[in-house]
Amino acid sequence: MTTLRRRTFIVGGLAGASAGVLLPALANAIGYPFTLGVASGEPAADGFVIWTRLAPNPLNADGLGGMPNTNTAVEWQVATDERFTAIARTGTVTTTQASAHSVHVTLTGLEPGREYWYRFRTGGHISPAGRSLTAPAVGTQPELTMLFASCSHYEEGYFTAYRRMAEEHPDLILHLGDYIYEGAATTTKVRKFAPATEISTLANYRVRHAQYKTDPDLQAAHAMAPWLVVWDDHEVENNYASLIRNDTNPAGDFKARRAAAYKAYYEHMPLRSAQAPTAENMLLHRRVRWGSLATFHMLDTRQYRNDQACGDGTKVCPAADDPARTLTGTSQETWLIDGLRQKLGTWDFLGQQVFFAQRLAAADGSKSMDAWDGYTANRTRIQNAWDANGNKGTVVLTGDVHRSWGANLMQNYGTQNRIIGTELVTTSVTSGGDGNAADNSLNPTLNPHVKYFKNLRGYVKTRTTSAEMRVDFRAVDKVTVRDYPVKTVGSYVVESTNPGLQAP
């Protein structure tokens, strides 16, 4: 239970200390607990979620971060200025070993459309401060600066893109999947995973998440702005579909493994309690409004999907067009179509994981079975819903493929009849290692609706008003060397009443 009080850390001691709650002397004995930084997310017009996790020894193999099995009182503080001279809210929450001493505080009662700063304290230790924002009030449409990224393989490079994202001072950051990778450590990369084996237990997943969170560049991005997150496959296992595994290594009960992975994911992300998992299930698809400017429909394309058709891979597969095949599951599809029909804002943003537009790999019609091309009827039903409703400002935001792409979404891909939306695909933060600026995998003959491609690491920056979205594909030349500068490698404009990519 969280209690609210309007006072500063200076005035009082650690609130709520009682039997079974870790006292300051003991807390000091275990060392600095805020090694994983702070984060915020899920912005609403009256608040957001703030997060931290107590872990003085974050890579301990038991996954408990060096914390004793004692409930621990953590004070939190929210201010309207970064010097914390004007306190808006304070309170105390008690952490437990069962949740790896993670902290999720859902704030309400704040002013819409403004900056706040937050921090935590326990046992005399004070966390770094984070910056967050509330969403604008419904009825208003101020400009939104948003960044989105995906696919951050710890071993394959440094998280320079996250540092550059923090330096952009965005209003909002989206992460579209593969926040962690589950594989075993190698000896040929620039960094090494902990633990060294492929992760499959709750302790393993906690340690891997903690290793990521110790990265200072990732911490900087989390501390700069609120995040909206969705997962893809590597948060559990490569290319899994619902409860169907990609392979049988490591051996074990996959339902238990997925439950462990989902629990660790929730423990390390600034998510609301509505997203807390139950066993092997977790409700991750949700809607977030940004005033009357935009509605974010955050999708889950892993938990409910049918297995990839024809044994996965890139191929010609008639089964991919079976109307019964689903990437979203029936319930999520209904939820999404209902939200699109409501048209709650000028823009509808679909934050999701895998390539949405048709993308032919060869003249024989071969396509990726792991993307929406493997579930074409599901895609058509969703596209038809927003098209029939006249939602011209529909933009699909995508990760997964470790390259930057930009595409027009067509009412009919075969005939190239009528543009009805836009897809922006972010490259990876590090996955795939250093890119190749000379790579030209864009085939306009096979895919005339696909307008942009770049094989470099980075993220996408957008600045959105009620009239248009200005898009910059941002990239760093190398991730195997620390701290490269970022540059814009492609720019487009999308108009809210005229879908598709246009020259800036």
Side-chain angles (χ1 to χ4, degrees):
M1 178 178 178
T2 300
T3 58
L4 297 178
R5 301 176 314 285
R6 294 179 180 272
R7 64 175 180 79
T8 68
F9 286 156
I10 304 300
V11 172
L14 184 67
S18 60
V21 176
L22 189 63
L23 296 172
L26 182 55
N28 286 330
I30 63 173
Y32 184 70
F34 298 111
T35 59
L36 307 184
V38 299
S40 72
E42 305 300 301
D46 67 342
F48 41 81
V49 175
I50 56 174
W51 172 94
T52 193
R53 181 188 162 205
L54 308 182
N57 297 296
L59 302 188
N60 279 7
D62 62 5
L64 299 176
M67 289 292 293
N69 187 12
T70 308
N71 293 350
T72 306
V74 179
E75 279 191 291
W76 53 265
Q77 192 177 64
V78 178
T80 57
D81 69 308
E82 55 189 320
R83 295 175 60 86
F84 288 84
T85 61
I87 305 301
R89 292 285 187 276
T90 69
T92 302
V93 63
T94 299
T95 71
T96 67
Q97 190 178 82
S99 61
H101 292 280
S102 59
V103 176
H104 296 79
V105 178
T106 300
L107 297 165
T108 59
L110 301 179
E111 298 175 24
R114 65 158 299 155
E115 290 180 317
Y116 287 91
W117 285 261
Y118 63 94
R119 61 186 178 183
F120 303 88
R121 188 183 76 161
T122 190
H125 297 295
I126 298 178
S127 75
R131 166 186 175 266
S132 196
L133 289 85
T134 50
V138 171
T140 66
Q141 299 196 54
E143 180 175 317
L144 166 65
T145 298
M146 174 187 67
L147 311 177
F148 64 98
S150 74
C151 302
S152 43
H153 194 297
Y154 185 86
E155 290 198 329
E156 293 186 345
Y158 299 106
F159 290 165
T160 304
Y162 285 138
R163 175 68 60 174
R164 301 289 91 89
M165 290 168 73
E167 292 167 354
E168 303 263 18
H169 283 72
D171 301 319
L172 184 66
I173 292 174
L174 272 61
H175 199 286
L176 301 178
D178 294 343
Y179 182 95
I180 65 164
Y181 278 70
E182 83 288 6
T186 67
T187 59
T188 59
K189 307 296 184 182
V190 297
R191 300 196 285 187
K192 187 174 181 179
F193 277 143
T197 57
E198 180 170 337
I199 56 177
S200 60
T201 68
L202 179 57
N204 289 168
Y205 282 106
R206 283 171 168 170
V207 173
R208 186 65 57 85
H209 273 282
Q211 181 181 42
Y212 271 68
K213 283 290 201 299
T214 60
D215 185 276
D217 297 329
L218 178 54
Q219 286 192 15
H222 271 300
M224 181 51 65
W227 284 44
L228 293 176
V229 299
V230 285
W231 54 39
D232 195 12
D233 51 344
H234 288 288
E235 286 85 355
V236 182
E237 178 185 73
N238 181 47
N239 279 13
Y240 84 96
S242 184
L243 287 171
I244 301 169
R245 298 193 63 180
N246 180 56
D247 56 43
T248 58
N249 184 35
D253 179 355
F254 186 67
K255 185 181 289 187
R257 181 180 181 180
R258 199 178 87 170
Y262 285 8
K263 179 173 172 58
Y265 184 85
Y266 178 78
E267 290 171 346
H268 290 84
M269 294 295 170
L271 290 164
R272 295 178 182 272
S273 59
Q275 275 61 64
T278 301
E280 75 280 4
N281 302 309
M282 182 169 159
L283 181 65
L284 195 61
H285 61 279
R286 61 213 189 275
R287 239 183 303 280
V288 175
R289 297 190 66 178
W290 195 264
S292 294
L293 179 69
T295 305
F296 291 90
H297 310 267
M298 305 301 292
L299 305 186
D300 176 356
T301 63
R302 283 291 162 189
Q303 188 173 183
Y304 313 110
R305 67 160 65 190
N306 294 128
D307 195 13
Q308 290 88 319
C310 297
D312 208 351
T314 299
K315 57 192 65 175
V316 176
C317 177
D321 300 324
D322 182 345
R325 287 186 51 73
T326 178
L327 191 65
T328 59
T330 302
S331 178
Q332 185 180 191
E333 180 184 319
T334 300
W335 167 88
L336 174 59
I337 289 174
D338 178 64
L340 291 169
R341 285 175 176 160
Q342 292 180 51
K343 200 172 188 344
L344 298 171
T346 299
W347 299 87
D348 283 291
F349 297 142
L350 278 60
Q352 59 95 51
Q353 298 78 11
V354 294
F355 214 97
F356 190 86
Q358 178 178 286
R359 182 162 58 108
L360 300 181
D364 64 1
S366 57
K367 299 177 287 189
S368 170
M369 295 299 102
D370 191 48
W372 287 86
D373 275 333
Y375 307 81
T376 58
N378 192 184
R379 175 177 63 196
T380 297
R381 290 190 296 268
I382 292 168
Q383 288 198 164
N384 286 348
W386 86 58
D387 184 35
N389 201 50
N391 296 27
K392 296 185 181 298
T394 302
V395 182
V396 178
L397 310 174
T398 300
D400 183 57
V401 290
H402 307 173
R403 306 290 189 272
S404 300
W405 299 79
N408 296 333
L409 301 177
M410 311 303 296
Q411 194 273 334
N412 186 301
Y413 291 98
T415 63
Q416 290 290 296
N417 178 48
R418 200 160 53 83
I419 301 169
I420 62 170
T422 313
E423 181 173 22
L424 305 174
V425 183
T426 179
T427 186
S428 61
V429 171
T430 56
S431 302
D434 292 334
N436 177 8
D439 180 10
N440 185 12
S441 297
L442 178 62
N443 189 326
T445 302
L446 292 177
N447 301 289
H449 55 283
V450 179
K451 303 300 181 183
Y452 179 75
F453 170 87
K454 184 65 71 174
N455 179 7
L456 287 172
R457 309 289 80 86
Y459 54 93
V460 178
K461 176 180 181 179
T462 65
R463 289 154 294 172
T464 306
T465 67
S466 60
E468 66 178 19
M469 168 190 281
R470 303 193 72 84
V471 180
D472 291 325
F473 292 93
R474 305 278 276 160
V476 295
D477 284 334
K478 288 184 179 295
V479 295
T480 54
V481 179
R482 286 188 184 274
D483 208 32
Y484 258 72
V486 68
K487 60 187 179 183
T488 296
V489 291
S491 294
Y492 290 89
V493 170
V494 181
E495 296 176 351
S496 61
T497 59
N498 184 26
L501 294 164
Q502 302 177 43

